[in-house]
């Protein structure tokens, strides 16, 4: 299932919700606040995050190497969180939570952007997500083994751990300064720089709308993020457009380049 959905362009719409849930954990939020370059290099940081996720699913032998690289990268990330507790990025509770957020976000967002998963599909998706966790070095004992075990764990984290940390607040704000994209053809970058002051406010509002809307309602409630019936209707209309149009796109437009190349190699190998 991940081979089909992880590289689909719709996954980019889901990513901000998962990231916000991750940094709402005090330990994760503190680590990102102190060590991440998401403020000074948001486009580069986003590109690297997406590439890493795609490697987990489509990378083959590279997936294991990426898992090792991530663990090595996080070995020196430590400090004190917003509650005054010492943290280390590889603490099982925090490291596993970062990975765990993907499953409920996929499940919730799929109801808007695609066809809702069946019970069997949810079970298969969770099993595949556990497999990806092993690639990242997450021990079996640190993640619930089944969907039935996952939901009590998930609700416990929402109730006892999550809060609107400074980074989570920043990721859902509309008044945060973001530089124009620094990637792509030079003429496009020049044009974006010229019109960025006009584009940024509506883009920031749209990002907040999708971040909160595609976040599972119980997580949204745990963070105290507002969501109105009017916004819900708007999200349903947006979702209808997306789930109607995206499946009609050719694969070169529907899938991100890394995923598209992996899928093409797989088809060629089967011939």
């Amino acid at each position: 299932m991940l081979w089909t959905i992880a590289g689909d362009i719709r996954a980019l719409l889901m990513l901000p919700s998962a990231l916000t849930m991750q940094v709402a954990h005090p330990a994760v939020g503190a680590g990102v606040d102190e060590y991440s370059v998401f403020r000074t290099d948001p486009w580069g940081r986003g590109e690297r995050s997406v590439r890493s996720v795609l490697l987990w699913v489509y990378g083959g032998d590279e997936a294991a190497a990426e898992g090792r690289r991530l663990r090595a990268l996080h070995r020196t990330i430590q400090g004190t969180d917003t509650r005054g507790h010492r943290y280390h990025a590889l603490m099982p509770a925090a490291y596993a939570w970062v990975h765990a957020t993907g499953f409920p976000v996929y499940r919730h967002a799929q109801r808007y952007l695609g066809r809702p998963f069946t019970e069997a599909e949810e079970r298969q998706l969770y099993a595949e997500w556990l497999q990806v966790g092993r690639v990242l070095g997450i021990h079996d004992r640190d993640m619930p083994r089944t969907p039935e075990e996952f939901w009590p764990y998930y609700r416990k984290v929402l109730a006892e751990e999550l809060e609107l940390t400074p980074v989570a607040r920043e990721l859902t704000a509309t008044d945060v300064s973001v530089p124009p994209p620094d990637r792509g053809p030079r003429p496009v970058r020049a044009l974006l720089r010229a019109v960025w002051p006009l584009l940024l406010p509506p883009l920031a509002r749209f990002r907040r709308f999708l971040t909160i809307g595609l976040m599972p309602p119980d997580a949204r409630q745990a963070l105290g993020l507002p969501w109105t019936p009017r916004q819900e209707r708007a999200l349903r209309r947006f979702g209808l457009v997306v789930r109607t149009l995206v499946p009609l796109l050719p694969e070169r437009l529907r899938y991100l380049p890394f995923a598209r190349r992996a899928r093409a190699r797989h088809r060629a190998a089967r011939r």
Side-chain angles (χ1 to χ4, degrees):
M1 287 187 65
L2 284 173
W3 184 264
T4 300
I5 64 178
D8 188 301
I9 57 174
R10 286 173 285 190
L12 294 178
L13 301 176
M14 308 176 192
L15 190 58
S17 297
L19 291 174
T20 302
M21 289 172 61
Q22 291 166 13
V23 300
H25 189 290
V28 180
V32 170
D33 195 13
E34 184 173 357
Y35 290 91
S36 177
V37 297
F38 80 99
R39 295 185 182 96
T40 56
D41 183 24
W43 302 102
R45 184 67 188 88
E47 183 179 57
R48 291 189 294 274
S49 293
V50 170
R51 186 176 187 278
S52 184
V53 171
L54 294 178
L55 272 171
W56 307 345
V57 178
Y58 301 98
D61 292 339
E62 291 182 78
E66 176 66 4
R68 291 191 293 270
R69 185 191 73 84
L70 288 174
R71 289 189 68 83
L73 181 68
H74 286 81
R75 284 196 186 108
T76 58
I77 297 177
Q78 56 188 313
T80 304
D81 66 24
T82 55
R83 298 179 178 179
H85 299 151
R86 294 291 298 171
Y87 75 86
H88 189 287
L90 294 179
M91 289 190 315
Y95 196 63
W97 172 252
V98 169
H99 181 59
T101 57
F103 176 66
V105 169
Y106 266 130
R107 178 178 179 268
H108 176 66
Q110 183 71 11
R111 298 174 179 178
Y112 295 90
L113 305 179
R115 174 184 54 78
F117 296 132
T118 65
E119 182 179 346
E121 287 171 336
E122 279 191 23
R123 190 170 295 279
Q124 181 181 346
L125 177 63
Y126 189 74
E128 293 180 13
W129 205 239
L130 288 179
Q131 185 177 350
V132 170
R134 296 184 189 108
V135 170
L136 299 177
I138 298 174
H139 298 294
D140 284 355
R141 64 178 179 269
D142 295 326
M143 282 285 289
R145 308 314 310 146
T146 66
E148 290 81 6
E149 295 175 6
F150 175 82
W151 295 115
Y153 151 79
Y154 168 76
R155 288 190 289 269
K156 188 173 188 292
V157 175
L158 293 187
E160 299 180 4
E161 298 290 341
L162 292 204
E163 61 183 41
L164 195 62
T165 62
V167 179
R169 186 178 297 109
E170 200 168 328
L171 292 181
T172 54
T174 58
D175 58 353
V176 176
S177 178
V178 178
D182 56 2
R183 281 150 174 75
R186 184 175 297 177
V188 174
R189 283 183 282 149
L191 176 61
L192 285 173
R193 279 197 301 270
V195 300
W196 194 243
L198 297 176
L199 285 179
L200 181 56
L203 285 176
R205 291 192 295 271
F206 182 64
R207 181 191 63 178
R208 174 181 168 86
F209 169 73
L210 281 185
T211 299
I212 299 176
L214 295 181
M215 186 182 295
D218 46 6
R220 186 194 303 153
Q221 184 177 2
L223 298 183
L225 294 170
W227 188 250
T228 67
R230 181 178 180 182
Q231 289 173 310
E232 178 67 20
R233 291 191 295 270
L235 182 62
R236 291 182 182 277
R237 290 193 296 270
F238 174 77
L240 176 61
V241 173
V242 170
R243 68 174 177 266
T244 300
L245 294 182
V246 171
L248 301 178
L249 296 174
E251 184 161 323
R252 69 179 184 277
L253 298 178
R254 179 178 171 181
Y255 281 90
L256 298 169
F258 190 91
R260 188 174 67 245
R261 291 192 295 269
R263 290 166 62 86
R265 286 195 300 269
H266 179 68
R267 286 194 298 269
R270 295 179 63 184
R271 289 173 186 159

